[in-house]
Amino acid sequence: AREMVVEVAHPGHGPVQMIGFPMKFREAACALRSPAPALGSDTEAVLTALDYDEVEIQALREQGII
């Protein structure tokens, strides 16, 4: 009834249960915009933001670091 556990469609895993928002606001309703990302899905974007170039990122992949 309090939506503490919600079900969300995940593109890679189908329907998954996630923790809902613990606080409810009448004037500013909270809503889930997307399911949790897969492990490592943002790795390249983070490394690029840290000024790693594609050659360095590929080297990290080849070494099994990422």
Side-chain angles (χ1 to χ4, degrees), residues 5-66:
V5 178
V6 294
E7 191 168 284
V8 179
H10 192 284
H13 302 285
V16 295
Q17 290 187 337
M18 296 177 60
I19 302 295
F21 293 94
M23 299 175 67
K24 314 294 188 218
F25 301 101
R26 185 175 351 144
E27 296 176 9
C30 299
L32 289 172
R33 292 175 284 190
S34 63
L39 182 63
S41 65
D42 296 323
T43 300
E44 190 165 335
V46 170
L47 290 174
T48 301
L50 293 171
D51 293 327
Y52 283 78
D53 63 28
E54 186 56 40
V55 173
E56 293 170 309
I57 294 172
Q58 184 59 34
L60 293 172
R61 278 194 190 98
E62 290 171 0
Q63 295 172 45
I65 295 171
I66 59 170

